[in-house]
Amino acid sequence: MAVNDGLSRLVARARPRHRTTTEFVEATLREAILTGVIAPGTPLRQEELAETFGVSRMPVREALRQLEARALAEFHPHRGAVVAEISAADGADIGAIRMALEPMALRLSLPGLTAADLDQAEELIAEMDGEADPGRMGELNRRFHMTLYARAGRPRLLALTEQHLLAADRYLRFQFAALGYRPRSQDEHRVLLAACRAGDADTACRLVTEHVGQAAEQLTAFLEAREAG
Amino acid sequence: MAVNDGLSRLVARARPRHRTTTEFVEATLREAILTGVIAPGTPLRQEELAETFGVSRMPVREALRQLEARALAEFHPHRGAVVAEISAADGADIGAIRMALEPMALRLSLPGLTAADLDQAEELIAEMDGEADPGRMGELNRRFHMTLYARAGRPRLLALTEQHLLAADRYLRFQFAALGYRPRSQDEHRVLLAACRAGDADTACRLVTEHVGQAAEQLTAFLEAREAG
DNA sequence: TGCCAGGATATTGGATCCAATCTATCACCG
DNA sequence: CGGTGATAGATTGGATCCAATATCCTGGCA
């Protein structure tokens, strides 16, 4: 029943949106892992999951395979899957990938950004200001970044970027769960947006790189301390 | 029998290396798609694949799900999977991702590169010089790049990089199949290696960016012309 | 008392079977 | 003669069943 706890709530609502059961199971499990509903290292027992989803083991197995390919679950032959662990090394890895992808996405997107896009980004900053719920905060932050990248016209690059934004978010939630959540200043986001409004690609790219880099550094510092202690 | 043709040769040799059937099917299919043994757009019929692999449909299904997550196959619910199509848009996407990832990988790896690494890269260039087989050429090129990135100490970044190098290679093979293969000069690789030997990170990163960018540009030019005509 | 062997149990991996859905064909009607 | 609807065949999606493997516990032996 360890997994069941928070999961069954997610299961209840989202069913009809998906065309196949596998799709449904995969999407729900992915969200559960990313939002921390299922903790890192938790064994993902097929029978147990099948029961909470109200399906057979087969769609569960297919979903687990997809999660493995996305590095959200680890497979051990004949021993089953576990939720991907959280480690300082992997956190640094995700940070490095973000530092590579996001400036590229921004540079491609910048010329195509509309006034409406920039206004929406502004609104998202306003919403983030003083947001008390860390989960909501993560979502707003992600949407802010993705709004700036949206006009890159590179679906695959954007999907990869969002995937790693989500992975980073998972790490942040984990940190908040351990250290408590304290809302951060939105100054960095504001100057980034200003550079985008000015159409200054070089500055904007430098700012996201720094922004992402700093976030990754803080995170790995916490994770390394935790692994040492 | 469309798929069977070249596939059965791959099937014959690699079986014992893998611990589970799914793993075996996935690896073999992946190689077959990446090397062009199975052409883009080919329907991947589960029953047919199961028979050529000598297994049941189940491991085939799990393998297909993993290929979907890697963007090597496209799923259409209740209609089956097809080998990922080749398009100018997707080629540009892969190019952009490489242009983001590879400079980052190189920058992280450069300080850790040993003399042995650099010598191996040199040897790979020598092997590439005048290599007549496009398949072998692709492998050497990939190994050259990965050798330079190997000391980045970021397994996830490296895996992602190699994945997209492989995807780019698939596109190149496709181009060669249409236009014929003509060995390219290794000058760009040589100056890149020289910058690495000199420990000049900025120059080396600029050079890979340009190198990858030019390759991507040539490729998309060909693909766009093909789609137009 | 600690360690190794062997068997019981739990769990995954793989095969088979049935149901749901899509596609193509053909008849019928406007 | 063209278009639309029904129906048959093919193919995938999902459930159940069996086999293979790993883990854990227990008992015997040094």
Side-chain angles (χ1 to χ4, degrees):
Chain A
M1 279 297 184
V3 169
N4 197 323
D5 294 347
L7 192 56
S8 34
R9 250 178 311 154
L10 289 181
V11 172
R13 54 182 161 93
R15 179 65 219 256
R17 269 192 290 138
H18 305 277
R19 277 180 302 183
T20 76
T21 314
T22 300
E23 212 178 304
F24 159 60
V25 172
E26 195 270 338
T28 309
L29 273 180
R30 188 176 53 200
E31 188 183 343
I33 293 173
L34 285 171
T35 59
V37 168
I38 314 182
T42 307
L44 295 164
R45 302 253 159 269
Q46 297 176 2
E47 194 104 33
E48 182 181 1
L49 291 173
E51 196 167 347
T52 65
F53 278 101
V55 300
S56 85
R57 268 179 52 210
M58 164 121 354
V60 173
R61 279 165 65 174
E62 288 189 0
L64 289 177
R65 286 290 179 191
Q66 287 178 296
L67 294 173
E68 182 198 19
R70 289 179 186 277
L72 292 176
E74 295 164 17
F75 257 78
H76 304 277
H78 294 280
R79 293 193 333 191
V82 299
V83 176
E85 295 283 0
I86 276 185
S87 71
D90 196 53
D93 233 321
I94 293 168
I97 293 170
R98 286 189 61 198
M99 284 177 72
L101 294 179
E102 299 197 23
M104 172 64 74
L106 183 58
R107 191 174 290 277
L108 291 170
S109 175
L110 207 53
L113 281 177
T114 66
D117 294 329
L118 295 164
D119 290 348
Q120 178 167 358
E122 184 108 45
E123 275 180 47
L124 288 165
I125 292 179
E127 277 193 73
M128 278 191 274
D129 239 332
E131 174 62 58
D133 175 48
R136 176 104 181 109
M137 180 65 179
E139 190 196 327
L140 291 169
N141 178 60
R142 205 166 56 242
R143 278 172 55 197
F144 170 76
H145 279 262
M146 290 309 292
T147 302
L148 294 183
Y149 311 149
R151 306 297 170 186
R154 295 269 179 274
R156 196 158 165 168
L157 172 64
L158 287 189
L160 209 58
T161 303
E162 184 162 35
Q163 196 177 316
H164 288 88
L165 262 166
L166 285 160
D169 225 41
R170 174 169 178 254
Y171 271 75
L172 264 185
R173 281 170 189 269
F174 185 78
Q175 183 182 353
F176 292 150
L179 262 56
Y181 170 63
R182 187 183 48 178
R184 274 184 60 189
S185 153
Q186 293 301 312
D187 291 349
E188 284 188 27
H189 283 155
R190 267 184 245 278
V191 296
L192 171 58
L193 180 57
C196 292
R197 276 203 197 278
D200 185 349
D202 289 337
T203 303
C205 288
R206 186 174 50 76
L207 287 171
V208 273
T209 308
E210 287 173 10
H211 175 59
V212 171
Q214 278 184 24
E217 245 173 74
Q218 283 186 17
L219 187 65
T220 46
F222 155 69
L223 292 168
E224 275 168 6
R226 171 178 161 270
E227 284 175 14
Chain B
M1 275 302 185
V3 169
N4 196 322
D5 294 346
L7 192 56
S8 34
R9 249 178 311 154
L10 289 181
V11 172
R13 53 181 160 93
R15 179 65 218 255
R17 268 193 289 140
H18 306 276
R19 277 181 301 182
T20 75
T21 313
T22 300
E23 212 177 306
F24 159 61
V25 173
E26 195 271 338
T28 309
L29 273 180
R30 186 176 55 200
E31 188 182 343
I33 293 173
L34 284 170
T35 59
V37 168
I38 315 182
T42 307
L44 295 163
R45 301 254 159 268
Q46 298 176 3
E47 194 103 35
E48 183 181 0
L49 292 172
E51 195 167 349
T52 63
F53 279 103
V55 300
S56 85
R57 266 179 54 211
M58 164 123 354
V60 172
R61 279 165 66 175
E62 288 191 359
L64 289 177
R65 285 291 177 189
Q66 287 178 296
L67 293 173
E68 182 199 19
R70 290 180 185 276
L72 293 176
E74 295 165 16
F75 256 79
H76 303 278
H78 295 280
R79 294 192 331 190
V82 300
V83 177
E85 295 283 359
I86 277 185
S87 71
D90 195 52
D93 233 322
I94 292 169
I97 292 170
R98 285 189 61 197
M99 282 177 73
L101 294 180
E102 299 197 23
M104 171 64 76
L106 183 58
R107 191 175 290 278
L108 291 170
S109 175
L110 207 53
L113 281 177
T114 66
D117 293 329
L118 295 163
D119 291 347
Q120 179 166 1
E122 184 107 43
E123 275 180 45
L124 287 166
I125 292 180
E127 276 194 74
M128 277 190 275
D129 240 332
E131 173 61 60
D133 175 47
R136 175 105 182 107
M137 181 63 179
E139 188 196 328
L140 291 169
N141 178 61
R142 206 166 56 242
R143 278 172 54 197
F144 170 76
H145 279 262
M146 290 309 293
T147 301
L148 294 184
Y149 311 149
R151 307 295 171 189
R154 296 269 178 272
R156 196 158 164 170
L157 172 65
L158 288 189
L160 210 58
T161 303
E162 184 161 35
Q163 195 177 320
H164 288 88
L165 262 168
L166 284 160
D169 226 42
R170 172 167 179 256
Y171 271 75
L172 265 184
R173 280 170 190 269
F174 185 78
Q175 183 183 353
F176 292 149
L179 261 57
Y181 171 63
R182 186 183 50 178
R184 274 183 62 188
S185 154
Q186 292 302 314
D187 290 348
E188 285 188 28
H189 283 156
R190 266 183 245 280
V191 295
L192 171 58
L193 180 58
C196 292
R197 275 202 196 278
D200 185 347
D202 288 338
T203 302
C205 288
R206 186 174 51 75
L207 286 171
V208 271
T209 307
E210 287 173 10
H211 175 59
V212 171
Q214 278 184 24
E217 243 174 75
Q218 284 187 17
L219 187 65
T220 47
F222 155 70
L223 293 168
E224 274 168 8
R226 171 178 159 271
E227 285 175 14

